[in-house]
Amino acid sequence: MENTVIREIYRKLERNVLIQIAIPLPFFAISYLYTKNGTIDYGGFNLSSYWNSLIFGLVIALLIFQFVHFTSATKKIIKGVHELDKKVALYAEAVSFRFWILFLTGFISAAGLYFLNNPNFTIAFAVTLVFISLGKPSPERIASALKLKGEEKDLVMDLKRRI
């Protein structure tokens, strides 16, 4: 089986995920620093606790949704009868969707901290980082998530080698 298709899928996935990880971090860092510095008045919004809770609930719902959706997608891939390149492509789609949700969650958390000055958004961002850390694709995670064995596992593990 030719490994170049799988390698190209993995390379694009890895690049896109790294970009999606890097972009929300400075926004959160700025939000965190502004809210912790007592000398800067950023004119935070005075929304009712209802809206504050609703936005925080949205963040929690997105975190749960991305986990459930990714788990469901990988189970469908495992149950399906596909060639390895198709399995990896479907896995890449599931990971991409997951990281778009985490990307959105990171921005909502940064905005919630900045505009609402609610420290719960710091915790939500930390949980988002945990999901990012545990979900970042690697050959080991692909092989494990798709329950690959034998030659398929060897081909995926070969992605670790840079050419």
Side-chain angles (χ1 to χ4, degrees), residues 24-25 27-29 31-32 35-36 42 45 47-63 102 104-130:
L25 286 172
F27 290 99
F28 184 79
S31 298
Y32 185 79
T35 59
K36 293 300 173 192
Y42 60 91
F45 293 103
L47 295 177
S48 70
S49 64
Y50 170 78
W51 288 104
N52 201 338
S53 299
L54 184 70
I55 295 169
F56 184 69
L58 173 66
V59 169
I60 299 303
L62 286 171
L63 288 171
L102 292 171
L104 178 64
T105 303
F107 271 115
I108 294 172
S109 296
L113 180 62
Y114 184 81
F115 292 116
L116 302 172
N117 201 16
N118 182 345
N120 289 335
F121 289 105
T122 304
I123 296 167
F125 193 80
V127 172
T128 301
L129 290 178
V130 168

Side-chain angles (χ1 to χ4, degrees), residues 83-102:
E83 293 292 322
L84 181 59
D85 57 344
K86 181 68 173 174
K87 286 181 185 179
V88 173
L90 291 171
Y91 177 81
E93 287 177 20
V95 168
S96 292
F97 184 76
R98 179 182 208 181
F99 273 82
W100 277 113
I101 299 295
L102 292 171

Side-chain angles (χ1 to χ4, degrees), residues 1-10 84-85 88 151-152 154-161 163:
M1 178 181 288
E2 186 61 37
N3 202 17
T4 57
V5 173
I6 297 168
R7 189 172 295 281
E8 184 62 24
I9 292 169
Y10 179 71
L84 181 59
D85 57 344
V88 173
E151 184 182 344
E152 287 184 335
D154 293 340
L155 285 170
V156 169
M157 297 305 281
D158 192 43
L159 295 172
K160 287 193 278 190
R161 278 194 8 232
I163 54 171

